[in-house]
Amino acid sequence: MVSRLNPYLTFNGEARQAMEFYRQVFGGTLDLNTYGDLGQADAPNADRIMHGMLQTPSGFTLMGADNPPGMESAPGSPFSVSLSGDDEAELRGYWEKLSEGGSVSVPLEKQMWGDVFGMCTDRFGVPWMVDISGSES
């Protein structure tokens, strides 16, 4: 898989409706996974979207999710830039550079869904998400 750069939108409980709306606008294939689907079946918001991805016929990729339980909504910044793929060396290199001088909110490490994932805000205030699929780390 080639590394991909795309917007990642954050919602406060409306991710399903928003992502379905974007599918109506752009067409394409929409995959939605809830917190319950991905290992948190007993969580209070198990039906909320943990990860959604719309891939359009025009080649657009739009991702989105509801705010994780316990994480405050940040009005005015409902987006992140997502880097994803399976080239671990390339993506770890990006992570190191992006997080240097910034702040890390989720360390880049193996997650319950099997990927290595992390979230940081770079020194300019831009939020980033890095997901390394199929990583053995």
Side-chain angles (χ1 to χ4, degrees):
M1 171 193 332
V2 174
S3 294
R4 173 180 13 211
L5 173 81
N6 59 275
Y8 203 110
L9 306 176
T10 303
F11 301 93
N12 196 19
E14 306 88 18
R16 180 181 303 278
Q17 297 91 324
M19 296 301 290
E20 288 173 350
F21 169 74
Y22 297 133
R23 178 179 52 189
Q24 290 176 356
V25 171
F26 299 111
T29 303
L30 176 62
D31 292 312
L32 296 172
N33 296 293
T34 66
Y35 284 95
D37 295 337
L38 296 172
Q40 295 182 3
D42 297 331
N45 295 317
D47 61 333
R48 287 192 172 192
I49 303 302
M50 182 177 193
H51 177 70
M53 182 166 67
L54 174 64
Q55 294 181 292
T56 75
S58 297
F60 303 150
T61 299
L62 181 63
M63 294 183 186
D66 286 313
N67 240 5
M71 197 173 216
E72 287 188 36
S73 178
S77 61
F79 78 94
S80 294
V81 181
S82 173
L83 285 166
S84 57
D86 59 6
D87 187 328
E88 185 166 0
E90 177 183 40
L91 292 165
R92 281 188 182 277
Y94 294 146
W95 170 264
E96 293 303 320
K97 292 174 186 172
L98 290 166
S99 62
E100 185 179 331
S103 63
V104 173
S105 55
V106 176
L108 186 65
E109 58 190 26
K110 189 96 161 184
Q111 301 296 324
M112 68 179 140
W113 62 88
D115 293 356
V116 170
F117 174 83
M119 294 171 60
C120 68
T121 300
D122 70 22
R123 67 182 104 177
F124 301 104
V126 176
W128 293 87
M129 305 168 84
V130 175
D131 185 272
I132 306 167
S133 60
S135 178
E136 296 299 315
S137 298

